[in-house]
Amino acid sequence: MDYIEVGKVVNTHGIRGEIKLNPWTDNLPEITEIDTFYLKDKDGFRPLHAERVRIHKNCAIIKAAGIDDMNAAEQLRGRVLYVEKMEELPEGRYYIADLIGLSVKTEEGEIGILSDVLQTGAHDVYEITTTEGKKALLPAVSQFVEEINMDARYIRVRLIEGILD
């Protein structure tokens, strides 16, 4: 089973054991549908069953089974929560973790490696570490991103003049 990070516990919420999760997703309402989160420790992943999840000020407030007071919730502060990775995402959607490390190429050849994906709100921006070691930013829109091939592990892009300078 594969897991993916969904966010970090940044605080407690109230006195009844709720935790405040800073989510790392672009679709906040989906978090309210999760019934099992996972914590990673030295023995692997262990489930954290959600009794209730709600959104409050761009964070998820989670009441988990067995976490019944502020002291128990405090033990989770700073921990990363995970969810099970879906086998199939909708067409054209990718996990950021799966994109990072892909070769980035044009029709002329490889220009670098995708080193990060910045989420700006309007659209994502790909950070490319070029073969010369420089950083370049490329909007992740159809005008620039022509193809993402997960099987062959590359992204084919169209560049405009000056983007690699």
Side-chain angles (χ1 to χ4, degrees), residues 35-159:
D35 56 9
T36 305
F37 295 89
Y38 294 87
L39 290 165
K40 184 178 181 181
D41 55 31
K42 64 180 175 14
D43 298 323
F45 291 89
R46 65 180 170 93
L48 186 67
H49 299 287
E51 294 176 350
R52 183 176 58 254
V53 181
R54 61 189 168 88
I55 304 302
H56 179 69
K57 296 184 180 180
N58 291 325
C59 286
I61 306 299
I62 302 167
K63 172 58 181 96
I67 310 293
D68 297 319
D69 60 40
M70 188 186 306
N71 292 331
E74 181 66 35
Q75 299 301 311
L76 298 177
R77 186 195 302 250
R79 300 284 305 271
V80 173
L81 295 186
Y82 297 78
V83 294
E84 288 183 35
K85 196 174 184 180
M86 289 190 302
E87 293 298 318
E88 292 281 328
L89 287 176
E91 178 79 23
R93 303 243 352 210
Y94 306 94
Y95 288 112
I96 291 173
D98 292 342
L99 292 173
I100 293 175
L102 292 182
S103 171
V104 180
K105 55 176 79 175
T106 64
E107 289 182 8
E108 290 80 40
E110 184 173 350
I111 61 168
I113 301 292
L114 185 72
S115 52
D116 200 0
V117 177
L118 310 172
Q119 296 181 298
T120 64
H123 54 76
D124 292 347
V125 175
Y126 290 168
E127 180 184 81
I128 301 164
T129 302
T130 67
T131 53
E132 292 84 32
K134 295 180 182 178
K135 301 282 186 190
L137 298 176
L138 182 74
V141 295
S142 61
Q143 292 91 332
F144 299 114
V145 179
E146 295 179 330
E147 176 187 9
I148 297 176
N149 189 321
M150 296 303 290
D151 294 329
R153 309 249 337 120
Y154 72 83
I155 301 171
R156 191 176 74 243
V157 299
R158 180 174 345 126
L159 299 178

Side-chain angles (χ1 to χ4, degrees), residues 12-29:
T12 61
H13 186 83
I15 61 171
R16 293 188 172 88
E18 291 180 312
I19 57 175
K20 184 176 182 179
L21 181 77
N22 181 21
W24 298 333
T25 178
D26 59 353
N27 193 344
L28 201 53

